[in-house]
Amino acid sequence: MAENKCPQCGAPIDPGATECKFCGEKLAGQQVQQVQQVQQAQPVQTQPQTQVVIQQAAPQQIYVSGISPTWPIKSKVAAGLLAIFLGGIGVHKFYLGKTGMGILYLLFCWTGVPAVVGFIEGILYLCSNDENFQLKNHVRIG
């Protein structure tokens, strides 16, 4: 028993179908019969596939690591040292571009909590690997 195949995508189609359920190609009754006859006459026949090449104005690269080339360039060592020595007033947050957090550190600097948190963050910045630092802070290391 010969099986009908879609002339567009080659997927099997039902005998009475008017369109392919996979690619949506409209099938005329004559096309289905012609495809059936061709399959019976020549069981192995391949049609040349055309390739469409789309050119973009500016080539874009996909970065597997998730680090965007548009992020600002910052130094991990500078951020770590600023956090250790001036973390109580949030200088490291301003340096990394997190202005809201910097203001929060500045508002609560009188409590001493931001100084402890800044010291810990400075050690974490210096001990983390480059990729984690870049992804967490949305910066590139220069």
Side-chain angles (χ1 to χ4, degrees):
M1 179 174 150
E3 184 177 281
N4 293 337
K5 290 190 178 183
C6 175
Q8 180 70 23
C9 67
I13 56 173
D14 295 328
T18 57
E19 71 177 35
C20 177
K21 63 181 176 182
F22 294 101
C23 68
E25 179 74 16
K26 300 272 187 205
L27 303 172
Q30 295 174 352
Q31 283 182 336
V32 173
Q33 290 174 357
Q34 288 174 356
V35 169
Q36 213 173 27
Q37 290 172 358
V38 168
Q39 286 177 353
Q40 290 173 356
Q42 298 172 348
V44 180
Q45 181 180 359
T46 59
Q47 296 177 351
Q49 302 243 345
T50 57
Q51 294 182 348
V52 178
V53 178
I54 300 173
Q55 294 181 345
Q56 296 177 349
Q60 296 178 357
Q61 296 179 349
I62 298 173
Y63 296 93
V64 177
S65 63
I67 298 168
S68 174
T70 60
W71 290 345
I73 297 174
K74 301 291 180 178
S75 170
K76 180 173 84 165
V77 175
L81 293 176
L82 286 172
I84 289 172
F85 295 112
L86 298 172
I89 56 174
V91 174
H92 64 294
K93 293 295 184 180
F94 288 110
Y95 175 73
L96 292 174
K98 298 181 178 182
T99 310
M101 288 298 292
I103 292 171
L104 193 64
Y105 275 59
L106 198 55
L107 288 175
F108 290 99
C109 69
W110 59 272
T111 63
V113 174
V116 173
V117 174
F119 183 78
I120 293 170
E121 282 181 335
I123 293 171
L124 290 175
Y125 290 165
L126 294 174
C127 293
S128 68
N129 64 14
D130 292 343
E131 187 175 353
N132 286 343
F133 176 78
Q134 292 178 90
L135 290 173
K136 181 179 178 188
N137 298 299
H138 293 196
V139 296
R140 290 183 298 151
I141 293 180

